[in-house]
Amino acid sequence: MWMTPKRIRMEVDEALVFRPEWTQRYLVVEPAEGDGALCLVCRRLVASTRERDVRRHYEAEHEFYERFVGDEERAALVERLRQGDMSLASVLTPEERATRAGLGLCRFLALKGRGWGEGDFVHQCMEVLLREVLPDHVGVLEGIDLSPEITRQRILSIDSNLRGQLFNRARDFKAYSLALDDQAFVAYENYLLVFIRGVGHDLQVQEDLLTIINLTHHFSVGALMAAILEALQTAGLSLQRMVGLTTTHTLRMIGENSGLVSYMREKAVSPNCWNVIHYSGFLHLELLSSYDVDINQIINTISEWVVMIKTRGVRRPEFQPLLTESESEHGERVNGRCLNNWLRRGKTLKLIFSLRKEIEAFLVSVGATTVHFSDKQWLCDFGFLVDIMDYLREISEELQISKVFAAAAFDRICTFEAKLSSLQRHMEEVNLEDFPAFSIIVDELKQQFKEDQKIFDPDRYQMVISRLLKDFERHFKDLRFIKKDLELFANPFSFKPEYAPISVRVELTKLQGNTDLWNEYQVKDLGQFYAGLSGEAYPIIKGVAYKVASLFDSNQICDKAFSYLTRNQHTLSQPLTDEHLQALFRVATTEMDPRWDDLVRERNDS
């Protein structure tokens, strides 16, 4: 969750080392082989030794033991568990076990995007399996109800449980940011996904879905603003703690006078907080940028080809990699907009480019037009599009890496902007070394049109690169505005105090002169270092740490939601209430585990 500063890597990453105090706190011990953390209650191995993962296992599975509060009580409890005494555990009755199994299966169905009615099918499959393999245990299925109505209710219960956990943590957030995604719904554009990223006093980062908003019912910016404020109020958060906004760059979001961002920044103004940092290039960067790069409607033409291949060329072996890739992304059936979005990916365009000769032969065989394959301008635009989209794919994938801190993400953006500047210079010099697909097309055209001295116009492509570069500078200008703050925060001991803001110079000078803190900084990652920094001795630096940590450093959670919808478009396009849709997206995107014991008790009490 934090960018590691540029220094010598430590021999052992302290964040992945078992800590002795966890034994009493979370009832785990270090296993003999030294990997992970072994739970004393259920004897399961928690593979990761990050405290966050160990704590989640304890809270989700063994909340019963929270009743043992005192140190002596906890020590005695640990000793009894070490000796194998499980008499204190809340033993589940057969009915409770059936309820828990049903809840787990419903969550699994939601994660896989399956319809409510498929629970009965799963139940029948398990019954057939048990009758053949374990006939004496078929009776255990009697208490597991996976009917459509029960499945719907259980998904809502799981959503309520996860939302309650989020709200409990949100009340302790020192700072938070929002990500607003109005482009995730590829089957129908009528929802806004609102994600939240916050940090508590221990500087642990929490990213989750806050709410989804039906844009049909909240068409105006004022109505959207009211819905977001209501969601924040329900979570116990005020706008005064909001530090950042990450959005798409649609007019609904960033319109100069009527965009949602300008409304929210105006509401969030407070003497005690930063101006809200806004950046609009993280979400769907590859998809939205493609509309500026595709200067000859190349993708619309390719879309027609792919539809033809899906209907008339499915048996051709040369197209199997393309069809397999399409089915893995969308399934066998795909709507037009999903297909168009898939074709706007650098990886897909590269695959199409490699098959261009086979596609031309296929089009000839079915009597379709092949006029584009003799159009110099179109072919050059195609090669250029493939290369630029491949570079956009690279930066988009880099921005999907989470837990690196916003400074690292901004460094990647700056590196990509430098790359665009280099591409622009090379195009001006007619140097196609960094344009492999374009270079192949130009070489082929030179062989075909030997008497033609001018195959392409470099100014045409320079303008596209220049426009793309200006878009990046505009989308991330707020991060550029706080660049010094990010550098100072990532490297507090090497940043010169005279270049720091006046308000922080005294604290920074004192920090850099503290040998003990320097030693800690050498062996800890930034998250651990700032978590242990005294808020009384360094209140300004600590406050900035909370704010910087809460800025979104990746588009991972939004991409997870987008992928979930793309894979399960047909299930999610069925009639669903907003409440059920929100429940499915929360289950699909959260890193939290439901508190099963609470859910079982709720089911039994109802």
Side-chain angles (χ1 to χ4, degrees), residues 536-570:
E536 295 181 0
Y538 304 95
I540 298 177
I541 292 179
K542 188 85 169 185
V544 171
Y546 290 133
K547 293 171 182 176
V548 173
S550 71
L551 293 173
F552 274 89
D553 59 3
S554 79
N555 59 13
Q556 186 187 63
I557 191 169
C558 298
D559 188 67
K560 191 186 293 186
F562 184 70
S563 299
Y564 179 75
L565 179 58
T566 302
R567 288 194 310 270
N568 306 300
Q569 54 180 301
H570 299 292

Side-chain angles (χ1 to χ4, degrees), residues 173-431:
F173 285 169
K174 298 294 185 181
Y176 71 90
S177 295
L178 296 179
L180 310 178
D181 185 359
D182 62 343
Q183 292 292 301
F185 278 74
V186 291
Y188 33 86
E189 307 178 50
N190 59 344
Y191 283 94
L192 173 70
L193 298 181
V194 182
F195 298 97
I196 188 168
R197 174 188 171 100
V199 289
H201 63 89
D202 57 356
L203 273 83
Q204 290 286 338
V205 172
Q206 177 78 30
E207 280 189 16
D208 253 292
L209 176 70
L210 179 64
T211 188
I212 67 170
I213 299 172
N214 191 320
L215 295 176
T216 305
H217 301 152
H218 302 82
F219 185 76
S220 69
V221 172
L224 274 179
M225 183 71 187
I228 293 173
L229 289 176
E230 182 181 354
L232 290 172
Q233 185 177 9
T234 304
L237 292 166
S238 68
L239 278 178
Q240 279 63 46
R241 279 188 276 170
M242 185 170 72
V243 170
L245 269 177
T246 304
T247 70
T248 59
H249 44 271
T250 59
L251 286 176
R252 181 192 286 121
M253 293 291 111
I254 63 171
E256 187 174 347
N257 297 317
S258 58
L260 182 59
V261 171
S262 60
Y263 273 72
M264 294 198 69
R265 295 179 91 166
E266 190 176 310
K267 287 280 186 182
V269 169
S270 168
N272 300 318
C273 72
W274 279 4
N275 291 327
V276 174
I277 303 300
H278 170 249
Y279 40 105
S280 58
F282 264 27
L283 310 186
H284 308 292
L285 181 145
E286 195 175 3
L287 171 63
L288 295 178
S289 296
S290 69
Y291 290 95
D292 295 326
V293 180
D294 185 8
I295 52 178
N296 203 354
Q297 302 298 306
I298 304 291
I299 291 172
N300 289 341
T301 302
I302 294 175
S303 180
E304 294 174 4
W305 296 347
V306 173
V307 170
M308 202 174 300
I309 290 170
K310 281 177 170 287
T311 55
R312 303 175 67 178
V314 290
R315 297 182 182 276
R316 294 180 178 247
E318 63 268 30
F319 296 139
Q320 292 311 305
L322 178 67
L323 296 172
T324 301
E325 179 72 20
S326 175
E327 288 182 13
S328 68
E329 187 71 24
H330 309 105
E332 294 182 2
R333 297 177 297 169
V334 57
N335 67 39
R337 186 161 182 250
C338 279
L339 177 62
N340 192 274
N341 288 349
W342 177 62
L343 292 173
R344 292 183 180 279
R345 295 184 177 181
K347 180 181 177 182
T348 308
L349 285 171
K350 205 170 182 179
L351 179 58
I352 296 286
F353 183 80
S354 69
L355 294 170
R356 67 191 184 283
K357 300 295 185 183
E358 291 82 355
I359 292 174
E360 183 180 10
F362 165 73
L363 293 175
V364 170
S365 70
V366 298
T369 179
T370 58
V371 63
H372 297 97
F373 290 95
S374 58
D375 185 333
K376 285 193 301 181
Q377 185 70 74
W378 193 93
L379 287 171
C380 288
D381 291 346
F382 183 26
F384 175 77
L385 176 66
V386 170
D387 289 329
I388 293 298
M389 289 306 299
D390 194 45
Y391 287 123
L392 285 167
R393 173 194 60 79
E394 291 177 0
I395 182 62
S396 183
E397 288 178 354
E398 288 178 357
L399 293 178
Q400 289 173 15
I401 302 172
S402 64
K403 302 177 183 178
V404 295
F405 175 58
F410 183 61
D411 284 346
R412 294 187 178 114
I413 292 295
C414 292
T415 301
F416 184 71
E417 290 176 349
K419 179 65 177 178
L420 287 177
S421 297
S422 173
L423 292 174
Q424 189 176 7
R425 288 195 304 272
H426 287 177
M427 183 58 71
E428 183 181 5
E429 298 164 358
V430 197
N431 177 1

